[in-house]
Amino acid sequence: MIKYLFYGATFKILSISPKIYRFLGNTLGKKWRMGQDLSVYHVRRAKRIVELCKRYQIREGDKLLELGTGWLHWESIIIRLFFDVKIVLFDIWDNRQLKPLQRFLSQYAKLIDAEICMNQTMSKRVHKYIKAISSVSSYDELYNMLDFEYILEPSGTLQHFQDETFDSVFSYNVLEHIDKNIVSRYVHDIYRILKPGRNTMHWIDISDHITNYARNASRKQYLMFSDALWKNLLENKVQYINRIQRSEWINLFQENGFEIVDENSLYMDIGNLKINKKYENRDIHDLECVSLDIIYRKQNPNYIINFASSD
Ligand SMILES: C[S@@+](CC[C@H](N)C(=O)[O-])C[C@H]1O[C@@H](n2cnc3c(N)ncnc32)[C@H](O)[C@@H]1O
């Protein structure tokens, strides 16, 4: 618990100047990442996104939006190896790192054929792209080659996107970071900018992010804090999480018109963690859920039979 509180307090102090935190992330983080090898985590993520795109019929010429694309654009890059689509990469600050991306991809090239089921033609295409990505010297070159558009919008809102622009909107480890005061509007906008009949795919990490550093704490440690205590003691701007639970996410999407297509959530035993009153009446699926892998569809009104007008 001491380690947990130490990290919580550190993030709170760093929140006094998020710019300094981001500067450190972009300088020290880059050095750290250059020394890292591709992890099983990224290999799994790659497999997941390719399978989802196949299952939910991403088609040639589709226009996709990745929310919170981060330093690697990992999901978008992997999609683009396999599919001829246009992707808009959206974020609120620039933490991109080209060299670590190239390093990860060249390591992934050695695994990809064993990891992802594909024929020879596809394998040739994938390796051609990886080689080409490895030799670009700027993001402009990369984006031109892959038909990507990178948009930075510090307000973090989606309001400037036109209605029904995208064939899919997706994110990985992003929605838990959206300010809880704008999250309903955010989901509403995802619905608005998605084309009817198409899907939106999100991996939402609803675990306590401080425990990425204080590993001995419970993955749902934040359940023990009231709103007031959380806000004053641990909530911070640099690793902000909204503490929205599984059932609330499901309601939010449904209230905004989405129908659920698929869910693959992960659960973890929370043992005898002391739960705050705020969460006391939650069912076990909320308390133990640590991540949500969820696909929603915006219904296509052309396929809804209108019984009222049929006579
Ligand atoms: C944990 S990182 C995940 C990055 C990337 N998806 C990945 O998995 O490597 C969260 C990302 O969400 C972004 N983010 C935070 N608020 C956002 C918002 N309102 N809209 C879009 N992205 C946002 C952050 O800037 C950051 O890049």
Side-chain angles (χ1 to χ4, degrees):
M1 197 61 187
I2 289 175
K3 207 170 172 190
Y4 177 86
L5 292 173
F6 166 78
Y7 279 107
T10 306
F11 292 134
K12 193 91 181 160
I13 292 165
L14 286 169
S15 300
I16 295 168
S17 176
K19 272 191 185 155
I20 293 181
Y21 173 80
R22 288 173 179 181
F23 172 76
L24 291 175
N26 279 352
T27 49
L28 300 181
K30 186 174 180 176
K31 272 199 185 136
W32 179 77
R33 280 169 183 136
M34 274 315 281
Q36 294 293 301
D37 283 323
L38 179 77
S39 64
V40 178
Y41 170 67
H42 284 97
V43 174
R44 275 202 208 121
R45 276 173 60 171
K47 196 177 175 94
R48 165 188 171 271
I49 198 67
V50 174
E51 281 175 6
L52 287 182
C53 288
K54 284 184 186 159
R55 199 176 316 147
Y56 297 107
Q57 292 168 1
I58 293 302
R59 301 185 280 251
E60 195 181 320
D62 277 358
K63 184 168 181 178
L64 317 182
L65 171 65
E66 179 178 14
L67 301 171
T69 188
W71 61 283
L72 265 187
H73 311 329
W74 189 242
E75 269 65 23
S76 289
I77 294 276
I78 298 295
I79 291 174
R80 198 57 190 82
L81 299 179
F82 292 85
F83 301 91
D84 284 323
V85 289
K86 181 174 174 53
I87 309 186
V88 174
L89 312 165
F90 180 80
D91 213 321
I92 60 168
W93 69 296
D94 184 358
N95 62 349
R96 295 169 298 168
Q97 296 180 0
L98 188 56
K99 288 271 175 258
L101 164 67
Q102 289 170 321
R103 180 179 155 88
F104 272 32
L105 260 188
S106 59
Q107 291 178 344
Y108 188 48
K110 296 180 190 131
L111 308 173
I112 196 163
D113 290 277
E115 277 293 318
I116 295 184
C117 181
M118 56 183 150
N119 60 28
Q120 254 189 354
T121 317
M122 184 55 84
S123 173
K124 258 193 186 160
R125 171 200 158 106
V126 163
H127 286 281
K128 202 171 122 203
Y129 267 116
I130 295 181
K131 201 165 165 212
I133 294 170
S134 305
S135 62
V136 299
S137 53
S138 72
Y139 274 106
D140 283 346
E141 215 183 309
L142 179 74
Y143 298 162
N144 276 337
M145 178 174 71
L146 299 181
D147 214 357
F148 280 178
E149 183 186 357
Y150 183 63
I151 297 182
L152 280 183
E153 174 51 59
S155 75
T157 63
L158 306 175
Q159 286 161 19
H160 58 284
F161 288 118
Q162 301 287 313
D163 293 1
E164 301 184 5
T165 303
F166 296 103
D167 296 283
S168 186
V169 178
F170 62 96
S171 72
Y172 196 97
N173 281 356
V174 174
L175 295 191
E176 70 274 18
H177 296 292
I178 309 294
D179 187 326
K180 58 176 177 289
N181 298 311
I182 67 157
V183 78
S184 180
R185 177 67 211 237
Y186 202 84
V187 174
H188 171 82
D189 277 331
I190 295 177
Y191 187 86
R192 182 181 60 74
I193 65 184
L194 191 63
K195 291 182 187 166
R198 303 308 301 264
N199 301 309
T200 187
M201 320 186 269
H202 304 277
W203 178 289
I204 314 174
D205 178 354
I206 56 175
S207 70
D208 187 333
H209 287 35
I210 300 174
T211 66
N212 291 337
Y213 308 88
R215 294 257 172 209
N216 53 350
S218 162
R219 295 296 283 160
K220 292 298 285 282
Q221 194 72 42
Y222 64 59
L223 292 176
M224 68 182 287
F225 301 104
S226 65
D227 276 345
L229 204 56
W230 178 255
K231 190 168 173 29
N232 293 318
L233 195 67
L234 294 158
E235 189 174 278
N236 63 78
K237 290 187 190 148
V238 297
Q239 293 260 334
Y240 172 84
I241 52 163
N242 51 35
R243 296 203 298 170
I244 294 175
Q245 299 302 295
R246 175 184 171 275
S247 63
E248 293 166 299
W249 280 118
I250 289 177
N251 290 340
L252 253 174
F253 275 88
Q254 284 176 342
E255 280 162 13
N256 279 288
F258 284 107
E259 59 174 356
I260 195 160
V261 175
D262 200 0
E263 181 192 353
N264 270 304
S265 294
L266 290 178
Y267 297 88
M268 202 167 267
D269 183 8
I270 54 166
N272 52 6
L273 181 71
K274 199 166 173 292
I275 308 287
N276 182 266
K277 264 209 313 255
K278 173 180 162 73
Y279 298 105
E280 232 170 36
N281 298 323
R282 300 304 181 107
D283 81 16
I284 198 74
H285 286 103
D286 264 0
L287 298 179
E288 296 199 334
C289 186
V290 284
S291 65
L292 260 126
D293 188 2
I294 203 143
I295 322 291
Y296 287 97
R297 180 169 301 139
K298 174 172 177 171
Q299 280 192 354
N300 189 339
N302 299 331
Y303 295 135
I304 298 174
I305 302 166
N306 188 347
F307 290 106
S309 62
S310 62
D311 43 46

